Amino acid sequence: MTAMATQSKIPMASESEYYEVRPIPGKGYGCFALKAMKRGTRILAEEPLLVVPIAEYLQSDIQQAFDKLSPEQKDIYFSLHSGHGQDPKLWPSRIHPTVEGKERQRIKEQHDARTGKQPSLISIFQTNCMEWNKGAAVFPNAARFNHCCNPNACFTWNSALGKETIHIMNDVEKDEEITLSYCDMIHDKTLRLWELKHYGFTCDCRACTGDEDDETTFAYHSALRRFRLQELERETRFLRGPKLYEGAVQPDFVRQLLQLAALHQEEGDYTARLASVFLDLALVCEVSGDLKMAEVAAGKAVQVKKDCQGADFPDYKKYVEVLERVKVKLGQQEV
Ligand SMILES: [Zn+2]
């Protein structure tokens, strides 16, 4: 992905009716809205340029994929930002002797790419790759979006479409920069800093630069919310998924799910994670017989899911089925 550093070449983003790539003084490039857009607008659906179908990749895996590209595609790849040139002191310099073979080689290659003097196949891949099925891929247009810890857009790999999609998740004004979060939105500042170090930059968003000890700042409230979100995640993790119906009988469970949903929304985190909290809330309320509440929660789950991933996302149907089932049960109850 594009970090906040100067790029030497002109970006190759294809024409879009939703946004354009513009230079940002001192920061390289960013993607700016060509018009006001609402949550749920799909601004990009892009096929991968280069795919490495395994998670633990070596330089040779990227080379193999790169060799298949056309000369134009190779130019696009090398026009992307690279997070090389980092201070070696920022990274561990030794590898434990028990780490052997391929894993040892992988760590060394990645370290050399980060601290190397020139952009390389790996340094560009590290900086720009996004999750792709069980591996990772580079999407040159999606890679142009800068990071923000409270972004206004979100990205997802849609395997049904075979494309990476980006949706607006918080309404944007014309000329506003459109941003994505490269790290987990509920992580605290220290953890985010560490995650972003891999991309070779330090975030200057208001959650990162504000004073977390000053109650009048956004950073203070954001840090509090993220802390509570992490706590609630830990408290509810084992009662969700396959154990959801065990959770349903816990006295505090519905309240915890409602708090999770409220905090994600306050933080502007309208991603699939919020949709899944609403879905679990709907299922728990359905089981406990509170069908009115189940209907409201399922309705929200469907809306958030559609807004952040689209109605063509593989498991969207599951969300619609829950809403329809609850509606049928409610109808039967009212007869
Ligand atoms: Zn930040």
Side-chain angles (χ1 to χ4, degrees):
M1 298 181 204
T2 310
M4 298 172 187
T6 309
Q7 287 168 306
S8 52
K9 294 184 187 175
I10 297 163
M12 302 289 288
S14 55
E15 288 292 305
S16 164
E17 60 175 297
Y18 301 103
Y19 71 91
E20 68 179 9
V21 178
R22 295 179 191 161
I24 307 174
K27 277 194 185 180
Y29 292 89
C31 298
F32 290 82
L34 289 171
K35 54 191 172 189
M37 288 177 280
K38 295 275 179 210
R39 173 179 303 140
T41 311
R42 176 176 285 176
I43 61 167
L44 183 71
E46 183 182 25
E47 287 176 8
L49 173 74
L50 180 143
V51 172
V52 175
I54 48 170
E56 308 288 292
Y57 58 82
L58 291 176
Q59 144 95 22
S60 54
D61 298 306
I62 305 173
Q63 186 72 53
Q64 209 176 27
F66 183 79
D67 288 344
K68 291 182 194 144
L69 301 182
S70 69
E72 294 77 26
Q73 288 174 320
K74 287 178 179 170
D75 281 348
I76 292 175
Y77 187 87
F78 269 98
S79 78
L80 295 173
H81 178 68
S82 160
H84 66 278
Q86 296 184 42
D87 182 351
K89 289 195 201 80
L90 293 173
W91 299 93
S93 58
R94 288 170 293 181
I95 308 173
H96 195 273
T98 56
V99 180
E100 293 174 316
K102 191 180 162 186
E103 182 59 8
R104 192 174 190 88
Q105 186 186 343
R106 194 179 72 82
I107 294 172
K108 202 176 169 315
E109 284 181 357
Q110 303 222 345
H111 181 78
D112 291 349
R114 270 185 218 111
T115 56
K117 291 205 164 42
Q118 300 292 329
S120 63
L121 274 183
I122 298 197
S123 72
I124 292 174
F125 194 76
Q126 279 174 333
T127 315
N128 295 280
C129 72
M130 292 167 147
E131 276 176 45
W132 178 90
N133 292 340
K134 288 191 172 114
V138 171
F139 304 88
N141 292 303
R144 298 291 178 196
F145 290 82
N146 281 324
H147 164 88
C148 179
C149 296
N150 290 86
N152 47 27
C154 57
F155 60 97
T156 194
W157 167 248
N158 185 322
S159 60
L161 284 181
K163 289 177 178 174
E164 184 77 11
T165 61
I166 295 182
H167 289 84
I168 298 293
M169 68 171 180
N170 290 299
D171 298 356
V172 297
E173 299 293 328
K174 184 175 183 288
D175 295 324
E176 196 177 328
E177 187 178 5
I178 305 170
T179 51
L180 304 171
S181 180
Y182 300 0
C183 47
D184 191 324
M185 269 189 76
I186 73 169
H187 286 169
D188 54 48
K189 193 157 92 177
T190 313
L191 200 45
R192 297 200 305 274
L193 203 70
W194 180 81
E195 287 174 305
L196 295 174
K197 199 170 84 166
H198 291 79
Y199 299 97
F201 72 97
T202 313
C203 184
D204 64 356
C205 82
R206 59 184 178 151
C208 289
T209 55
D211 183 354
E212 288 190 350
D213 294 322
D214 176 354
E215 283 181 40
T216 63
T217 64
F218 172 83
Y220 172 90
H221 293 283
S222 176
L224 262 187
R225 279 193 291 268
R226 290 180 212 248
F227 182 76
R228 183 68 185 131
L229 276 165
Q230 287 193 43
E231 246 178 10
L232 286 164
E233 279 268 325
R234 276 195 297 272
E235 287 168 13
T236 57
R237 188 178 302 151
F238 298 107
L239 297 171
R240 298 182 59 196
K243 293 210 168 161
L244 190 65
Y245 297 113
E246 280 179 38
V249 295
Q250 301 287 321
D252 260 357
F253 192 57
V254 166
R255 191 185 56 80
Q256 286 170 321
L257 290 178
L258 281 168
Q259 264 193 31
L260 266 175
L263 289 166
H264 278 299
Q265 289 173 92
E266 279 174 41
E267 201 56 20
D269 185 17
Y270 283 79
T271 54
R273 182 154 53 182
L274 174 62
S276 80
V277 173
F278 277 128
L279 188 74
D280 283 356
L281 193 55
L283 293 169
V284 166
C285 290
E286 183 191 12
V287 154
S288 65
D290 188 349
L291 292 177
K292 285 235 159 71
M293 175 82 158
E295 187 189 28
V296 174
K300 285 188 181 288
V302 167
Q303 188 66 50
V304 175
K305 185 81 178 167
K306 190 171 151 194
D307 285 348
C308 71
Q309 294 181 318
D312 49 18
F313 195 77
D315 70 347
Y316 174 70
K317 278 195 211 84
K318 187 178 92 185
Y319 284 64
V320 175
E321 279 163 18
V322 172
L323 177 61
E324 285 173 353
R325 189 176 68 223
V326 170
K327 278 183 185 292
V328 168
K329 284 187 184 174
L330 252 180
Q332 286 165 347
Q333 206 178 55
E334 281 163 7
V335 171

mmCIF file of all heavy atoms in Angstrom, residues 147-150 192 196 203-209 226, ligand 1:
data_model
loop_
_atom_site.group_PDB
_atom_site.id
_atom_site.type_symbol
_atom_site.label_atom_id
_atom_site.label_comp_id
_atom_site.label_asym_id
_atom_site.label_seq_id
_atom_site.Cartn_x
_atom_site.Cartn_y
_atom_site.Cartn_z
ATOM 1 N N HIS A 147 -2.966 5.408 4.545
ATOM 2 C CA HIS A 147 -3.485 4.886 5.813
ATOM 3 C C HIS A 147 -4.013 6.001 6.711
ATOM 4 O O HIS A 147 -3.479 7.105 6.743
ATOM 5 C CB HIS A 147 -2.374 4.151 6.567
ATOM 6 C CG HIS A 147 -2.712 3.923 8.014
ATOM 7 N ND1 HIS A 147 -3.405 2.816 8.442
ATOM 8 C CD2 HIS A 147 -2.517 4.694 9.117
ATOM 9 C CE1 HIS A 147 -3.595 2.905 9.749
ATOM 10 N NE2 HIS A 147 -3.060 4.033 10.187
ATOM 11 N N CYS A 148 -5.057 5.678 7.469
ATOM 12 C CA CYS A 148 -5.480 6.522 8.592
ATOM 13 C C CYS A 148 -6.026 5.572 9.663
ATOM 14 O O CYS A 148 -6.632 4.552 9.323
ATOM 15 C CB CYS A 148 -6.565 7.501 8.151
ATOM 16 S SG CYS A 148 -7.137 8.555 9.496
ATOM 17 N N CYS A 149 -5.789 5.871 10.948
ATOM 18 C CA CYS A 149 -6.278 4.976 12.009
ATOM 19 C C CYS A 149 -7.796 5.091 12.189
ATOM 20 O O CYS A 149 -8.411 4.250 12.837
ATOM 21 C CB CYS A 149 -5.548 5.253 13.316
ATOM 22 S SG CYS A 149 -3.787 4.881 13.193
ATOM 23 N N ASN A 150 -8.405 6.165 11.666
ATOM 24 C CA ASN A 150 -9.873 6.276 11.593
ATOM 25 C C ASN A 150 -10.225 6.584 10.139
ATOM 26 O O ASN A 150 -10.522 7.722 9.785
ATOM 27 C CB ASN A 150 -10.396 7.383 12.512
ATOM 28 C CG ASN A 150 -10.247 7.005 13.963
ATOM 29 O OD1 ASN A 150 -9.190 7.221 14.551
ATOM 30 N ND2 ASN A 150 -11.273 6.409 14.529
ATOM 31 N N ARG A 192 -0.360 -0.153 16.996
ATOM 32 C CA ARG A 192 -0.525 0.392 15.624
ATOM 33 C C ARG A 192 0.824 0.887 15.088
ATOM 34 O O ARG A 192 1.180 0.651 13.944
ATOM 35 C CB ARG A 192 -1.554 1.535 15.604
ATOM 36 C CG ARG A 192 -2.961 1.123 15.995
ATOM 37 C CD ARG A 192 -3.989 2.130 15.502
ATOM 38 N NE ARG A 192 -3.763 3.488 15.910
ATOM 39 C CZ ARG A 192 -4.160 4.042 17.058
ATOM 40 N NH1 ARG A 192 -4.823 3.299 17.944
ATOM 41 N NH2 ARG A 192 -3.931 5.303 17.324
ATOM 42 N N LEU A 196 2.514 -0.419 11.737
ATOM 43 C CA LEU A 196 2.771 0.513 10.629
ATOM 44 C C LEU A 196 4.260 0.620 10.300
ATOM 45 O O LEU A 196 4.624 1.027 9.202
ATOM 46 C CB LEU A 196 2.171 1.890 10.941
ATOM 47 C CG LEU A 196 0.642 1.888 11.043
ATOM 48 C CD1 LEU A 196 0.134 3.235 11.503
ATOM 49 C CD2 LEU A 196 -0.004 1.515 9.704
ATOM 50 N N CYS A 203 2.411 7.151 11.560
ATOM 51 C CA CYS A 203 1.114 7.764 11.256
ATOM 52 C C CYS A 203 0.993 9.135 11.926
ATOM 53 O O CYS A 203 1.384 9.302 13.083
ATOM 54 C CB CYS A 203 -0.005 6.848 11.724
ATOM 55 S SG CYS A 203 -1.631 7.472 11.295
ATOM 56 N N ASP A 204 0.426 10.100 11.188
ATOM 57 C CA ASP A 204 0.236 11.426 11.793
ATOM 58 C C ASP A 204 -1.252 11.783 11.895
ATOM 59 O O ASP A 204 -1.627 12.939 11.846
ATOM 60 C CB ASP A 204 1.012 12.504 11.017
ATOM 61 C CG ASP A 204 0.502 12.662 9.589
ATOM 62 O OD1 ASP A 204 -0.398 11.893 9.191
ATOM 63 O OD2 ASP A 204 0.997 13.558 8.879
ATOM 64 N N CYS A 205 -2.114 10.760 12.034
ATOM 65 C CA CYS A 205 -3.553 11.031 12.162
ATOM 66 C C CYS A 205 -3.854 11.587 13.559
ATOM 67 O O CYS A 205 -2.997 11.563 14.446
ATOM 68 C CB CYS A 205 -4.369 9.765 11.895
ATOM 69 S SG CYS A 205 -4.491 8.662 13.306
ATOM 70 N N ARG A 206 -5.071 12.061 13.759
ATOM 71 C CA ARG A 206 -5.398 12.722 15.033
ATOM 72 C C ARG A 206 -5.418 11.747 16.219
ATOM 73 O O ARG A 206 -5.191 12.136 17.346
ATOM 74 C CB ARG A 206 -6.715 13.490 14.928
ATOM 75 C CG ARG A 206 -7.899 12.630 14.563
ATOM 76 C CD ARG A 206 -9.137 13.478 14.377
ATOM 77 N NE ARG A 206 -10.255 12.632 13.984
ATOM 78 C CZ ARG A 206 -11.512 12.874 14.255
ATOM 79 N NH1 ARG A 206 -11.848 13.971 14.909
ATOM 80 N NH2 ARG A 206 -12.466 12.055 13.865
ATOM 81 N N ALA A 207 -5.660 10.438 15.929
ATOM 82 C CA ALA A 207 -5.626 9.466 17.035
ATOM 83 C C ALA A 207 -4.182 9.204 17.477
ATOM 84 O O ALA A 207 -3.928 8.870 18.632
ATOM 85 C CB ALA A 207 -6.288 8.162 16.607
ATOM 86 N N CYS A 208 -3.230 9.357 16.536
ATOM 87 C CA CYS A 208 -1.824 9.074 16.852
ATOM 88 C C CYS A 208 -1.083 10.303 17.377
ATOM 89 O O CYS A 208 -0.176 10.163 18.194
ATOM 90 C CB CYS A 208 -1.102 8.542 15.613
ATOM 91 S SG CYS A 208 -1.626 6.877 15.164
ATOM 92 N N THR A 209 -1.449 11.492 16.893
ATOM 93 C CA THR A 209 -0.677 12.673 17.285
ATOM 94 C C THR A 209 -1.304 13.436 18.447
ATOM 95 O O THR A 209 -0.624 14.224 19.103
ATOM 96 C CB THR A 209 -0.498 13.651 16.102
ATOM 97 O OG1 THR A 209 -1.790 13.958 15.592
ATOM 98 C CG2 THR A 209 0.356 13.051 14.998
ATOM 99 N N ARG A 226 -10.872 2.193 22.103
ATOM 100 C CA ARG A 226 -10.110 1.041 21.590
ATOM 101 C C ARG A 226 -9.752 0.088 22.732
ATOM 102 O O ARG A 226 -9.769 -1.130 22.571
ATOM 103 C CB ARG A 226 -8.853 1.512 20.854
ATOM 104 C CG ARG A 226 -9.191 2.209 19.531
ATOM 105 C CD ARG A 226 -7.930 2.673 18.813
ATOM 106 N NE ARG A 226 -8.134 3.889 18.054
ATOM 107 C CZ ARG A 226 -8.106 3.991 16.725
ATOM 108 N NH1 ARG A 226 -7.898 2.945 15.993
ATOM 109 N NH2 ARG A 226 -8.301 5.148 16.127
HETATM 110 ZN ZN ZN B 1 -2.861 7.013 13.246
#
